[in-house]
Amino acid sequence: MLSITMAQFKSHLGDVEGNFETAEKFIRSAEYSDVVVLPELWNTGYFPTPLENYADKNGERTSEFISNLSRELNLNIVAGSVAVEVDGKFYNRCLISNRKGEIVAAYDKTHLFTFAGEEKVFTAGDKIVTVELDGVKCGLSICYDLRFPEFIRKLALQGIEILFVPAAWSLLRLTPRQILTKARAIENQNFVVFVNSLGRSEIINPLGVLLGETGINEQNFSLSIDLETGKQFIKTMNLLADRNLAVDDI
């Protein structure tokens, strides 16, 4: 079993100090979980311009922030995503700290949402990232990445059991998003943990079953997931093993 807390809160645009205070409040209230997951771009809101006035230089503040809290609370933190600046470029980056306070992974959003003009501000990431938390292999994605099945499939082929999806997903597009989380879980036989700043965060099991869902208000929502569910299902029907690589190879 793995206890996961979805920290659903909406950041205030450009209020970096206030947003860090809010994030700390939510993380501290999840101290009895194994993993806490934050939403997308919680440090700045989605997203202020000019971003150079707000972005975290090299992700240093965020890294220190989650490292200290992880160590103090004995908690894994999937720090949603934050706007960071590296050598004059901006990235939408997910940082992860383990219980020891070590930064064990960093993932830059790969698929930029042109509808909102992300490509005009952010530089796209160019690699998939997995990380082990308490011995469980997890995959990292951010919001719009969910719409690209070939990207998520590459994570699945790395053997992940959980896909984390921090997001700032408009509720105007709720129905397709609910379909996508279930589809990514079913087709890849992994849990999907979708944490949205705007509400309706959820956890889906490898059979596509909704295990828990939030409303639209700010809240911490905690749930223990039974990882044996996915393992037992794969023993019965191993979709990845049944791929016909003559036509399915990506």
Side-chain angles (χ1 to χ4, degrees):
M1 301 290 286
L2 192 73
S3 176
I4 297 175
T5 293
M6 299 184 290
Q8 178 178 289
F9 62 91
K10 183 173 175 59
S11 300
H12 294 285
L13 195 66
D15 183 11
V16 174
E17 297 303 323
N19 293 335
F20 268 89
E21 290 177 5
T22 299
E24 181 171 356
K25 178 185 71 174
F26 276 86
I27 292 170
R28 287 191 177 280
S29 63
E31 63 177 318
Y32 298 111
S33 293
D34 297 310
V35 184
V36 61
V37 188
L38 277 58
E40 182 182 15
L41 290 179
W42 60 263
N43 69 328
T44 60
Y46 185 92
F47 51 88
T49 56
L51 200 56
E52 55 262 31
N53 293 343
Y54 308 97
D56 187 357
K57 298 288 186 181
N58 299 309
E60 291 175 359
R61 179 175 182 178
T62 304
S63 295
E64 182 179 10
F65 172 72
I66 63 173
S67 177
N68 289 339
L69 284 171
S70 282
R71 190 181 305 110
E72 176 188 344
L73 301 174
N74 188 32
L75 174 68
N76 299 294
I77 299 176
V78 178
S81 78
V82 292
V84 302
E85 181 180 358
V86 181
D87 296 331
K89 294 182 179 180
F90 300 97
Y91 299 88
N92 187 340
R93 178 169 294 178
C94 179
L95 293 161
I96 315 292
S97 56
N98 65 15
R99 294 181 187 272
K100 297 179 181 179
E102 300 165 332
I103 302 300
V104 290
Y107 165 70
D108 294 329
K109 187 175 184 179
T110 302
H111 300 91
L112 300 180
F113 191 34
T114 58
F115 181 80
E118 288 184 2
E119 83 290 355
K120 297 175 182 177
V121 176
F122 292 102
T123 297
D126 59 3
K127 61 180 181 296
I128 65 170
V129 176
T130 65
V131 62
E132 281 200 10
L133 298 175
D134 290 1
V136 179
K137 195 166 189 178
C138 307
L140 305 179
S141 62
I142 299 173
C143 202
Y144 194 47
D145 287 331
L146 187 66
R147 288 186 179 270
F148 298 87
E150 61 278 6
F151 172 75
I152 307 300
R153 173 54 56 88
K154 287 182 178 181
L155 288 166
L157 291 172
Q158 294 290 318
I160 67 169
E161 295 183 63
I162 301 173
L163 174 69
F164 290 115
V165 193
W169 195 294
S170 172
L171 294 180
L172 296 175
R173 293 180 286 276
L174 177 61
T175 297
R177 197 273 296 160
Q178 290 174 324
I179 293 171
L180 288 166
T181 50
K182 291 180 174 64
R184 298 297 89 89
I186 293 168
E187 68 196 7
N188 295 304
Q189 297 181 296
N190 50 234
F191 288 87
V192 174
V193 178
F194 179 92
V195 182
N196 195 26
S197 62
L198 302 175
R200 298 298 183 189
S201 302
E202 64 183 19
I203 298 178
I204 308 292
N205 80 3
L207 284 76
V209 175
L210 175 65
L211 299 181
E213 180 186 34
T214 69
I216 61 173
N217 295 323
E218 292 189 336
Q219 66 178 111
N220 264 357
F221 186 97
S222 299
L223 187 70
S224 291
I225 62 173
D226 183 2
L227 294 163
E228 288 301 315
T229 300
K231 294 175 182 177
Q232 291 303 317
F233 184 42
I234 290 172
K235 287 181 180 179
T236 303
M237 183 189 300
N238 191 328
L239 301 182
L240 297 185
D242 287 344
R243 293 167 64 230
N244 183 341
L245 296 182
V247 294
D248 293 341
D249 190 20
I250 59 173

